Coordinates of all heavy atoms in Angstrom, one line a residue:
M216 N 31.8 32.3 -161.0 CA 30.5 31.9 -160.5 C 30.1 32.8 -159.3 O 28.9 33.1 -159.2 CB 30.6 30.4 -160.1 CG 30.4 29.5 -161.3 SD 30.3 27.8 -160.7 CE 28.9 27.4 -161.6
G217 N 31.0 33.0 -158.4 CA 30.7 34.0 -157.4 C 29.5 33.7 -156.5 O 29.0 34.6 -155.9
G218 N 28.9 32.5 -156.5 CA 27.8 32.3 -155.6 C 26.5 32.2 -156.2 O 25.5 31.9 -155.5
E219 N 26.3 32.6 -157.5 CA 25.0 32.6 -158.1 C 24.4 31.2 -158.1 O 23.2 31.0 -158.2 CB 25.0 33.2 -159.5 CG 25.8 32.5 -160.5 CD 27.2 33.0 -160.6 OE1 27.7 33.8 -159.7 OE2 27.9 32.6 -161.6
W220 N 25.2 30.2 -158.0 CA 24.7 28.8 -158.1 C 24.0 28.4 -156.8 O 23.2 27.5 -156.8 CB 25.9 27.8 -158.3 CG 27.0 28.0 -157.3 CD1 28.1 28.8 -157.6 CD2 27.2 27.5 -156.0 NE1 29.0 28.7 -156.5 CE2 28.4 27.9 -155.5 CE3 26.4 26.7 -155.2 CZ2 28.9 27.6 -154.3 CZ3 26.9 26.3 -154.0 CH2 28.1 26.8 -153.5
R221 N 24.1 29.2 -155.8 CA 23.4 28.9 -154.5 C 21.9 28.9 -154.6 O 21.2 28.2 -153.9 CB 23.8 29.9 -153.4 CG 25.2 29.8 -153.0 CD 25.5 30.8 -151.9 NE 26.9 30.7 -151.5 CZ 27.3 29.8 -150.6 NH1 26.5 29.0 -150.0 NH2 28.6 29.8 -150.3
N222 N 21.3 29.5 -155.6 CA 19.9 29.6 -155.8 C 19.4 28.6 -156.9 O 18.4 28.7 -157.4 CB 19.4 31.0 -156.1 CG 19.7 31.9 -155.0 OD1 19.5 31.6 -153.8 ND2 20.2 33.1 -155.3
S223 N 20.3 27.7 -157.3 CA 20.0 26.8 -158.4 C 19.1 25.7 -158.0 O 18.8 25.4 -156.9 CB 21.3 26.2 -158.9 OG 21.8 25.3 -158.0
V224 N 18.8 24.9 -159.0 CA 17.9 23.7 -158.8 C 18.7 22.7 -157.9 O 18.1 22.2 -157.0 CB 17.7 23.0 -160.2 CG1 17.0 21.7 -160.0 CG2 16.8 23.9 -161.1
L225 N 20.0 22.6 -158.1 CA 20.7 21.6 -157.3 C 20.7 22.0 -155.8 O 20.5 21.2 -155.0 CB 22.2 21.5 -157.8 CG 23.1 20.6 -157.0 CD1 22.6 19.1 -157.2 CD2 24.5 20.7 -157.5
D226 N 20.8 23.3 -155.5 CA 20.9 23.7 -154.2 C 19.5 23.5 -153.5 O 19.4 23.4 -152.3 CB 21.3 25.2 -154.1 CG 21.7 25.7 -152.7 OD1 22.5 24.9 -152.1 OD2 21.3 26.7 -152.3
R227 N 18.4 23.5 -154.3 CA 17.1 23.4 -153.7 C 16.7 21.9 -153.5 O 15.7 21.6 -152.9 CB 16.1 24.1 -154.5 CG 16.2 25.6 -154.5 CD 15.1 26.3 -155.2 NE 14.9 25.9 -156.6 CZ 15.5 26.6 -157.6 NH1 16.2 27.6 -157.4 NH2 15.3 26.1 -158.8
R228 N 17.5 21.0 -154.0 CA 17.1 19.6 -153.9 C 17.4 19.2 -152.4 O 18.3 19.7 -151.8 CB 18.0 18.7 -154.8 CG 17.6 18.9 -156.2 CD 18.4 17.9 -157.1 NE 18.0 18.1 -158.5 CZ 18.5 17.5 -159.5 NH1 19.4 16.5 -159.3 NH2 18.2 17.7 -160.7
R229 N 16.6 18.2 -152.0 CA 16.8 17.7 -150.6 C 17.7 16.5 -150.7 O 17.9 15.8 -151.7 CB 15.5 17.2 -150.1 CG 14.4 18.3 -150.0 CD 13.1 17.7 -149.5 NE 12.9 16.4 -150.1 CZ 11.9 16.0 -150.9 NH1 11.0 16.9 -151.2 NH2 11.8 14.8 -151.4
V230 N 18.4 16.3 -149.5 CA 19.3 15.1 -149.4 C 18.5 13.8 -149.7 O 19.0 12.9 -150.4 CB 19.9 15.0 -148.0 CG1 20.7 13.7 -147.8 CG2 20.8 16.2 -147.8
T231 N 17.3 13.8 -149.4 CA 16.5 12.6 -149.6 C 16.1 12.4 -151.1 O 15.7 11.3 -151.5 CB 15.1 12.6 -148.8 OG1 14.4 13.8 -149.2 CG2 15.4 12.6 -147.3
D232 N 16.4 13.4 -151.9 CA 16.2 13.2 -153.4 C 17.2 12.2 -154.0 O 17.1 11.7 -155.1 CB 16.4 14.5 -154.1 CG 15.2 15.4 -153.8 OD1 14.1 15.0 -153.4 OD2 15.3 16.6 -154.1
Y233 N 18.3 11.9 -153.2 CA 19.4 11.0 -153.7 C 19.3 9.7 -152.9 O 19.2 9.7 -151.7 CB 20.7 11.7 -153.5 CG 20.8 13.0 -154.3 CD1 20.8 14.2 -153.6 CD2 21.0 13.0 -155.6 CE1 20.8 15.4 -154.3 CE2 21.1 14.2 -156.3 CZ 21.0 15.4 -155.7 OH 21.1 16.5 -156.4
P234 N 19.5 8.6 -153.6 CA 19.5 7.3 -152.9 C 20.7 7.3 -151.9 O 21.8 7.7 -152.2 CB 19.7 6.3 -154.0 CG 19.9 7.0 -155.3 CD 19.7 8.5 -155.0
H235 N 20.4 6.8 -150.7 CA 21.3 6.7 -149.6 C 22.1 8.0 -149.4 O 23.2 8.0 -148.9 CB 22.4 5.6 -150.0 CG 21.7 4.3 -150.3 ND1 21.0 3.5 -149.5 CD2 21.6 3.7 -151.5 CE1 20.5 2.5 -150.1 NE2 20.9 2.5 -151.3
A236 N 21.4 9.1 -149.6 CA 22.0 10.5 -149.4 C 23.3 10.7 -150.0 O 24.1 11.4 -149.5 CB 22.0 10.7 -147.9
M237 N 23.6 10.0 -151.1 CA 24.8 10.2 -151.9 C 24.5 10.5 -153.3 O 23.5 10.2 -153.8 CB 25.7 8.9 -151.8 CG 26.1 8.6 -150.3 SD 27.3 7.3 -150.2 CE 28.7 8.1 -151.1
L238 N 25.5 11.1 -154.0 CA 25.4 11.4 -155.4 C 25.8 10.1 -156.1 O 27.0 10.0 -156.5 CB 26.2 12.6 -155.8 CG 25.8 13.9 -155.2 CD1 26.8 15.0 -155.6 CD2 24.4 14.3 -155.6
A239 N 24.9 9.2 -156.4 CA 25.2 8.0 -157.1 C 25.5 8.3 -158.6 O 25.1 9.4 -159.1 CB 24.0 7.1 -157.1
K240 N 26.3 7.5 -159.2 CA 26.7 7.7 -160.5 C 25.6 7.9 -161.5 O 25.6 8.8 -162.3 CB 27.5 6.5 -161.0 CG 28.2 6.7 -162.4 CD 29.1 5.5 -162.7 CE 29.8 5.8 -164.0 NZ 30.7 4.7 -164.3
E241 N 24.5 7.2 -161.3 CA 23.3 7.4 -162.2 C 22.6 8.7 -162.0 O 22.1 9.3 -163.0 CB 22.4 6.2 -162.2 CG 21.7 6.0 -160.8 CD 22.2 4.7 -160.1 OE1 23.1 4.1 -160.6 OE2 21.5 4.4 -159.1
V242 N 22.7 9.2 -160.8 CA 22.1 10.5 -160.5 C 22.9 11.6 -161.2 O 22.4 12.5 -161.8 CB 21.9 10.8 -159.0 CG1 21.5 12.2 -158.7 CG2 21.0 9.8 -158.4
I243 N 24.2 11.5 -161.0 CA 25.1 12.5 -161.6 C 25.0 12.5 -163.2 O 24.9 13.5 -163.8 CB 26.6 12.2 -161.2 CG1 26.8 12.4 -159.7 CG2 27.6 13.0 -162.0 CD1 28.1 11.9 -159.2
S244 N 24.8 11.3 -163.8 CA 24.7 11.3 -165.2 C 23.4 11.9 -165.7 O 23.3 12.3 -166.9 CB 24.8 9.8 -165.7 OG 23.7 9.1 -165.3
Q245 N 22.4 12.0 -164.8 CA 21.2 12.7 -165.2 C 21.2 14.2 -165.0 O 20.3 14.9 -165.4 CB 20.0 12.0 -164.4 CG 19.8 10.6 -164.8 CD 18.8 9.9 -163.8 OE1 18.2 10.6 -163.0 NE2 18.6 8.6 -164.0
M246 N 22.2 14.7 -164.3 CA 22.3 16.1 -164.1 C 22.7 16.9 -165.3 O 23.5 16.3 -166.2 CB 23.4 16.4 -163.0 CG 23.1 16.0 -161.6 SD 24.5 16.4 -160.6 CE 23.8 16.0 -159.0
S247 N 22.3 18.1 -165.4 CA 22.8 18.9 -166.5 C 24.3 19.3 -166.2 O 24.7 19.1 -165.1 CB 22.0 20.2 -166.6 OG 22.2 21.0 -165.4
S248 N 24.9 19.9 -167.2 CA 26.3 20.3 -167.0 C 26.4 21.4 -165.9 O 27.3 21.3 -165.1 CB 26.9 20.9 -168.3 OG 26.9 19.9 -169.3
T249 N 25.4 22.2 -165.9 CA 25.4 23.3 -164.9 C 25.3 22.7 -163.5 O 26.0 23.1 -162.5 CB 24.2 24.3 -165.1 OG1 24.4 24.9 -166.4 CG2 24.2 25.4 -164.1
E250 N 24.4 21.7 -163.3 CA 24.2 21.0 -162.0 C 25.5 20.3 -161.6 O 25.8 20.3 -160.4 CB 23.0 20.1 -162.1 CG 21.7 20.8 -162.2 CD 20.5 19.8 -162.3 OE1 20.6 18.8 -163.0 OE2 19.5 20.1 -161.7
R251 N 26.2 19.7 -162.5 CA 27.4 19.0 -162.2 C 28.5 20.0 -161.7 O 29.1 19.7 -160.7 CB 27.9 18.2 -163.4 CG 27.1 17.0 -163.8 CD 27.6 16.4 -165.0 NE 26.6 15.4 -165.5 CZ 26.8 14.6 -166.5 NH1 28.0 14.5 -167.1 NH2 25.9 13.8 -166.9
V252 N 28.6 21.1 -162.4 CA 29.5 22.1 -161.9 C 29.1 22.6 -160.5 O 30.0 22.8 -159.6 CB 29.6 23.3 -162.9 CG1 30.4 24.4 -162.3 CG2 30.3 22.8 -164.2
E253 N 27.8 22.8 -160.3 CA 27.3 23.2 -159.0 C 27.6 22.2 -157.9 O 28.0 22.6 -156.8 CB 25.8 23.5 -159.1 CG 25.5 24.7 -159.9 CD 24.0 24.8 -160.3 OE1 23.2 23.9 -159.8 OE2 23.6 25.8 -160.9
A254 N 27.5 20.9 -158.3 CA 27.8 19.9 -157.3 C 29.3 19.9 -156.9 O 29.7 19.8 -155.8 CB 27.4 18.5 -157.9
M255 N 30.2 20.1 -157.9 CA 31.6 20.2 -157.6 C 31.9 21.4 -156.7 O 32.7 21.3 -155.8 CB 32.4 20.3 -158.9 CG 32.5 19.0 -159.7 SD 33.7 19.1 -161.1 CE 32.8 20.2 -162.2
E256 N 31.2 22.5 -157.0 CA 31.4 23.7 -156.2 C 31.0 23.4 -154.7 O 31.7 23.8 -153.8 CB 30.6 24.9 -156.7 CG 31.1 25.5 -158.0 CD 32.3 26.3 -157.8 OE1 32.6 26.8 -156.7 OE2 33.1 26.5 -158.8
L257 N 29.9 22.8 -154.6 CA 29.4 22.4 -153.2 C 30.4 21.5 -152.5 O 30.7 21.7 -151.3 CB 28.0 21.8 -153.2 CG 26.9 22.7 -153.7 CD1 25.6 21.9 -153.9 CD2 26.7 23.8 -152.6
L258 N 31.0 20.5 -153.2 CA 31.9 19.6 -152.6 C 33.2 20.4 -152.2 O 33.7 20.2 -151.1 CB 32.3 18.5 -153.6 CG 31.2 17.5 -153.8 CD1 31.6 16.6 -155.0 CD2 31.0 16.6 -152.6
W259 N 33.7 21.3 -153.1 CA 34.9 22.0 -152.8 C 34.6 23.0 -151.6 O 35.5 23.2 -150.7 CB 35.4 22.8 -154.0 CG 36.3 21.9 -154.8 CD1 36.0 21.5 -156.1 CD2 37.5 21.2 -154.5 NE1 36.9 20.6 -156.6 CE2 37.9 20.4 -155.6 CE3 38.3 21.1 -153.3 CZ2 39.0 19.6 -155.6 CZ3 39.4 20.4 -153.4 CH2 39.8 19.6 -154.5
E260 N 33.4 23.5 -151.6 CA 33.1 24.4 -150.4 C 33.1 23.6 -149.1 O 33.6 24.1 -148.1 CB 31.7 25.0 -150.7 CG 31.3 26.0 -149.6 CD 29.9 26.6 -149.8 OE1 29.8 27.5 -150.6 OE2 29.0 26.1 -149.2
S261 N 32.6 22.4 -149.2 CA 32.7 21.6 -147.9 C 34.1 21.3 -147.5 O 34.4 21.2 -146.3 CB 31.9 20.3 -148.1 OG 32.6 19.3 -148.9
F262 N 35.0 21.1 -148.5 CA 36.4 20.9 -148.1 C 37.0 22.1 -147.4 O 37.6 22.0 -146.3 CB 37.3 20.6 -149.4 CG 37.3 19.2 -149.8 CD1 36.3 18.6 -150.5 CD2 38.4 18.4 -149.4 CE1 36.4 17.3 -150.9 CE2 38.5 17.1 -149.8 CZ 37.5 16.5 -150.5
S263 N 36.7 23.3 -148.0 CA 37.3 24.5 -147.4 C 36.7 24.9 -146.1 O 37.3 25.4 -145.2 CB 37.3 25.7 -148.4 OG 36.0 26.0 -148.8
S264 N 35.3 24.7 -146.0 CA 34.7 25.1 -144.7 C 35.0 24.2 -143.6 O 35.0 24.6 -142.4 CB 33.2 25.2 -144.9 OG 32.6 23.9 -145.1
E265 N 35.4 22.9 -143.9 CA 35.8 22.0 -142.8 C 37.3 21.9 -142.6 O 37.8 21.1 -141.8 CB 35.2 20.6 -143.2 CG 33.7 20.5 -143.2 CD 33.2 19.2 -143.7 OE1 33.9 18.2 -143.7 OE2 32.0 19.2 -144.1
G266 N 38.0 22.7 -143.4 CA 39.5 22.8 -143.2 C 40.2 21.5 -143.7 O 41.2 21.2 -143.2
I267 N 39.6 20.8 -144.6 CA 40.2 19.6 -145.1 C 41.3 19.9 -146.0 O 41.2 20.7 -147.0 CB 39.1 18.7 -145.9 CG1 38.0 18.3 -144.9 CG2 39.8 17.5 -146.5 CD1 36.8 17.6 -145.6
D268 N 42.5 19.4 -145.8 CA 43.7 19.7 -146.6 C 43.9 18.5 -147.5 O 44.3 17.4 -147.0 CB 44.9 19.9 -145.7 CG 46.1 20.2 -146.5 OD1 46.0 20.7 -147.6 OD2 47.2 20.0 -146.0
Y269 N 43.5 18.6 -148.7 CA 43.6 17.5 -149.7 C 44.8 17.8 -150.6 O 44.9 18.8 -151.3 CB 42.4 17.4 -150.6 CG 42.3 16.2 -151.5 CD1 42.0 15.0 -151.0 CD2 42.6 16.4 -152.8 CE1 42.0 13.9 -151.8 CE2 42.6 15.3 -153.6 CZ 42.3 14.0 -153.1 OH 42.3 12.9 -153.9
P270 N 45.8 16.9 -150.5 CA 47.0 17.2 -151.3 C 46.8 17.0 -152.8 O 46.0 16.1 -153.2 CB 48.0 16.2 -150.8 CG 47.2 15.1 -150.2 CD 45.9 15.7 -149.7
S271 N 47.5 17.7 -153.6 CA 47.4 17.6 -155.1 C 48.1 16.3 -155.4 O 49.1 15.9 -154.9 CB 48.1 18.7 -155.8 OG 47.4 19.9 -155.6
P272 N 47.5 15.6 -156.4 CA 48.2 14.3 -156.9 C 49.6 14.6 -157.5 O 49.8 15.8 -158.0 CB 47.3 13.8 -158.0 CG 46.1 14.6 -158.0 CD 46.3 15.8 -157.1
D273 N 50.4 13.7 -157.5 CA 51.8 13.9 -158.0 C 51.8 14.3 -159.5 O 52.7 15.1 -159.9 CB 52.6 12.6 -157.9 CG 52.9 12.2 -156.5 OD1 52.9 13.1 -155.6 OD2 53.2 11.0 -156.2
W274 N 50.8 13.9 -160.3 CA 50.8 14.3 -161.7 C 50.6 15.8 -161.9 O 51.0 16.3 -162.9 CB 49.9 13.4 -162.5 CG 48.4 13.6 -162.1 CD1 47.7 12.8 -161.3 CD2 47.5 14.6 -162.7 NE1 46.4 13.3 -161.2 CE2 46.3 14.3 -162.1 CE3 47.6 15.6 -163.6 CZ2 45.1 15.1 -162.4 CZ3 46.5 16.4 -163.9 CH2 45.3 16.1 -163.3
H275 N 50.0 16.4 -160.9 CA 49.8 17.9 -161.0 C 51.1 18.6 -161.1 O 51.3 19.5 -161.9 CB 49.0 18.4 -159.8 CG 47.6 18.2 -159.9 ND1 46.7 18.8 -159.0 CD2 46.8 17.5 -160.7 CE1 45.5 18.5 -159.3 NE2 45.5 17.6 -160.3
A276 N 52.1 18.2 -160.3 CA 53.4 18.8 -160.3 C 54.1 18.6 -161.6 O 54.7 19.5 -162.1 CB 54.3 18.3 -159.1
K277 N 53.9 17.4 -162.2 CA 54.5 17.1 -163.5 C 53.9 18.1 -164.6 O 54.7 18.6 -165.4 CB 54.3 15.7 -163.8 CG 55.0 15.3 -165.1 CD 54.7 13.8 -165.5 CE 55.3 13.5 -166.8 NZ 55.0 12.2 -167.3
V278 N 52.6 18.2 -164.6 CA 52.0 19.0 -165.6 C 52.4 20.5 -165.4 O 52.7 21.2 -166.4 CB 50.4 18.9 -165.5 CG1 49.7 19.9 -166.4 CG2 50.0 17.5 -165.9
L279 N 52.4 21.0 -164.2 CA 52.8 22.3 -164.0 C 54.3 22.6 -164.4 O 54.6 23.6 -165.0 CB 52.7 22.7 -162.5 CG 51.2 22.8 -162.0 CD1 51.2 23.1 -160.5 CD2 50.5 24.0 -162.7
A280 N 55.2 21.6 -164.1 CA 56.6 21.7 -164.6 C 56.7 21.8 -166.1 O 57.4 22.6 -166.6 CB 57.4 20.6 -164.0
E281 N 55.9 20.9 -166.8 CA 55.9 20.9 -168.2 C 55.5 22.2 -168.8 O 56.0 22.8 -169.7 CB 55.1 19.8 -168.8 CG 55.6 18.4 -168.5 CD 54.6 17.3 -168.8 OE1 53.5 17.5 -169.2 OE2 55.0 16.1 -168.7
R282 N 54.4 22.8 -168.2 CA 53.9 24.0 -168.7 C 54.8 25.2 -168.4 O 55.0 26.1 -169.2 CB 52.5 24.3 -168.1 CG 51.5 23.4 -168.6 CD 50.1 23.6 -168.0 NE 49.2 22.6 -168.6 CZ 47.9 22.5 -168.2 NH1 47.5 23.2 -167.2 NH2 47.1 21.5 -168.7
S283 N 55.5 25.1 -167.3 CA 56.5 26.2 -166.9 C 57.6 26.1 -167.9 O 58.2 27.2 -168.3 CB 57.0 26.0 -165.5 OG 56.0 26.3 -164.6
E284 N 58.1 24.9 -168.3 CA 59.1 24.8 -169.3 C 58.7 25.4 -170.6 O 59.5 26.1 -171.3 CB 59.5 23.3 -169.5 CG 60.3 22.7 -168.4 CD 60.6 21.3 -168.6 OE1 60.7 20.8 -169.8 OE2 60.8 20.5 -167.6
I285 N 57.5 25.2 -171.0 CA 57.0 25.8 -172.3 C 57.0 27.3 -172.2 O 57.5 28.0 -173.1 CB 55.6 25.3 -172.6 CG1 55.7 23.8 -173.0 CG2 55.0 26.0 -173.8 CD1 54.3 23.1 -173.1
I286 N 56.6 27.8 -171.1 CA 56.6 29.3 -170.9 C 58.0 29.8 -170.9 O 58.3 30.8 -171.6 CB 55.8 29.7 -169.6 CG1 54.3 29.4 -169.8 CG2 56.0 31.2 -169.3 CD1 53.5 29.4 -168.5
D287 N 58.9 29.2 -170.1 CA 60.3 29.6 -170.1 C 61.0 29.6 -171.4 O 61.9 30.4 -171.7 CB 61.0 28.8 -169.0 CG 60.6 29.1 -167.6 OD1 59.9 30.1 -167.4 OD2 60.9 28.2 -166.7
S288 N 60.6 28.6 -172.2 CA 61.3 28.5 -173.6 C 60.7 29.5 -174.6 O 61.2 29.5 -175.7 CB 61.1 27.1 -174.1 OG 59.7 26.9 -174.5
E289 N 59.7 30.3 -174.1 CA 59.1 31.3 -175.0 C 58.4 30.6 -176.2 O 58.1 31.3 -177.2 CB 60.1 32.3 -175.4 CG 60.6 33.1 -174.2 CD 61.5 34.2 -174.6 OE1 61.7 34.6 -175.8 OE2 62.1 34.8 -173.7
K290 N 58.0 29.4 -176.1 CA 57.2 28.7 -177.1 C 55.7 28.7 -176.8 O 54.9 28.1 -177.5 CB 57.7 27.3 -177.3 CG 59.1 27.2 -177.9 CD 59.6 25.8 -178.0 CE 61.0 25.7 -178.5 NZ 61.5 24.4 -178.6
A291 N 55.4 29.3 -175.7 CA 54.0 29.3 -175.3 C 53.2 30.2 -176.2 O 53.6 31.2 -176.6 CB 53.8 29.7 -173.8
T292 N 51.9 29.8 -176.5 CA 51.0 30.6 -177.2 C 49.9 31.0 -176.3 O 49.5 30.3 -175.4 CB 50.4 29.9 -178.4 OG1 49.8 28.7 -178.0 CG2 51.5 29.6 -179.4
W293 N 49.5 32.2 -176.4 CA 48.5 32.8 -175.5 C 47.2 33.1 -176.3 O 47.3 33.6 -177.4 CB 49.0 34.0 -174.8 CG 50.3 33.8 -174.1 CD1 51.6 34.0 -174.6 CD2 50.5 33.1 -172.8 NE1 52.5 33.6 -173.7 CE2 51.9 33.0 -172.6 CE3 49.6 32.7 -171.9 CZ2 52.4 32.5 -171.4 CZ3 50.2 32.1 -170.7 CH2 51.5 32.0 -170.5
L294 N 46.1 33.0 -175.6 CA 44.8 33.3 -176.2 C 44.2 34.5 -175.4 O 44.3 34.6 -174.2 CB 43.8 32.1 -176.1 CG 44.2 30.8 -176.8 CD1 43.2 29.8 -176.4 CD2 44.3 31.0 -178.3
S295 N 43.5 35.3 -176.1 CA 42.7 36.4 -175.5 C 41.5 35.7 -174.9 O 41.1 34.6 -175.2 CB 42.3 37.5 -176.5 OG 41.3 36.9 -177.4
V296 N 40.8 36.4 -174.1 CA 39.5 35.9 -173.5 C 38.5 35.6 -174.6 O 37.9 34.5 -174.6 CB 38.9 36.8 -172.4 CG1 37.6 36.4 -172.0 CG2 39.9 37.0 -171.3
D297 N 38.4 36.4 -175.6 CA 37.5 36.2 -176.7 C 37.9 35.0 -177.5 O 37.1 34.2 -177.9 CB 37.5 37.4 -177.6 CG 36.8 38.6 -177.0 OD1 36.0 38.4 -176.1 OD2 37.1 39.8 -177.4
E298 N 39.2 34.8 -177.7 CA 39.7 33.6 -178.5 C 39.4 32.3 -177.7 O 39.0 31.3 -178.3 CB 41.2 33.7 -178.7 CG 41.5 34.8 -179.7 CD 43.0 35.0 -179.8 OE1 43.7 34.9 -178.8 OE2 43.5 35.3 -180.9
L299 N 39.6 32.4 -176.4 CA 39.3 31.2 -175.5 C 37.8 30.9 -175.6 O 37.5 29.7 -175.7 CB 39.8 31.5 -174.1 CG 39.5 30.4 -173.1 CD1 40.1 29.0 -173.5 CD2 39.9 30.8 -171.7
Q300 N 37.0 31.9 -175.4 CA 35.5 31.6 -175.4 C 35.1 31.1 -176.8 O 34.3 30.1 -176.8 CB 34.8 32.9 -175.1 CG 34.9 33.4 -173.7 CD 34.2 34.7 -173.5 OE1 34.1 35.6 -174.4 NE2 33.9 35.0 -172.2
A301 N 35.7 31.6 -177.9 CA 35.3 31.0 -179.2 C 35.8 29.6 -179.3 O 35.0 28.7 -179.8 CB 36.0 31.9 -180.3
R302 N 36.9 29.3 -178.8 CA 37.4 27.9 -178.9 C 36.5 27.0 -178.1 O 36.2 25.9 -178.5 CB 38.9 27.8 -178.4 CG 39.4 26.4 -178.4 CD 40.8 26.3 -177.7 NE 41.8 26.8 -178.6 CZ 43.1 26.6 -178.3 NH1 43.5 26.1 -177.2 NH2 44.0 27.1 -179.2
L303 N 36.2 27.4 -176.9 CA 35.3 26.6 -176.0 C 33.9 26.4 -176.6 O 33.3 25.3 -176.5 CB 35.2 27.2 -174.6 CG 36.5 27.1 -173.8 CD1 36.3 27.9 -172.5 CD2 37.0 25.7 -173.5
M304 N 33.4 27.4 -177.2 CA 32.0 27.4 -177.8 C 32.0 26.5 -179.0 O 31.0 25.9 -179.4 CB 31.5 28.8 -178.2 CG 31.4 29.7 -176.9 SD 30.2 29.0 -175.7 CE 28.7 29.4 -176.4
S305 N 33.2 26.3 -179.7 CA 33.2 25.5 -180.9 C 33.3 24.0 -180.6 O 33.2 23.2 -181.5 CB 34.4 25.9 -181.8 OG 35.6 25.6 -181.2
R306 N 33.4 23.7 -179.4 CA 33.5 22.2 -179.0 C 32.2 21.6 -179.0 O 31.2 22.0 -178.7 CB 34.2 22.1 -177.6 CG 35.7 22.4 -177.7 CD 36.3 22.2 -176.4 NE 37.7 22.4 -176.5 CZ 38.6 22.3 -175.5 NH1 38.2 21.8 -174.4 NH2 39.8 22.5 -175.7

């Protein structure tokens, strides 16, 4: 993404465009996929710019351990970027 989202529709909206200056569930459901990703980017940017340290949930460690085991067992399958893009586009 590299910052191109900064000039998006979401970035140009005013805080007053949202009820109670919050992203209410119904407002989020009306956003396009691109706007939702942009909203997540803005939230994460606020975490990093304010130095908020948010710990990963416990289940993250479990998932990473499971994936590491698959890689270590040499049973992992890998996709090229083209294969991954094709898989995502077919969804």
Side-chain angles (χ1 to χ4, degrees):
M216 277 189 134
E219 64 268 12
W220 51 266
R221 292 183 181 273
N222 296 318
S223 71
V224 172
L225 181 63
D226 198 43
R227 291 190 301 267
R228 290 185 182 180
R229 301 177 319 244
V230 171
T231 55
D232 290 341
Y233 300 103
H235 310 291
M237 297 192 62
L238 294 176
K240 187 174 182 177
E241 61 246 11
V242 173
I243 293 170
S244 68
Q245 293 172 6
M246 290 179 173
S247 68
S248 297
T249 300
E250 289 175 322
R251 290 177 192 189
V252 170
E253 291 167 359
M255 286 190 291
E256 290 284 341
L257 291 169
L258 288 169
W259 279 116
E260 183 180 281
S261 74
F262 272 83
S263 61
S264 69
E265 295 174 19
I267 297 170
D268 183 23
Y269 187 78
S271 294
D273 292 338
W274 64 267
H275 280 190
K277 182 180 176 188
V278 169
L279 290 173
E281 290 169 356
R282 291 179 181 175
S283 289
E284 285 179 26
I285 293 169
I286 292 168
D287 292 343
S288 72
E289 298 183 7
K290 293 180 182 175
T292 57
W293 305 97
L294 300 175
S295 69
V296 172
D297 291 337
E298 291 168 326
L299 175 60
Q300 287 175 336
R302 179 186 281 186
L303 293 173
M304 296 303 281
S305 69
R306 290 184 177 182

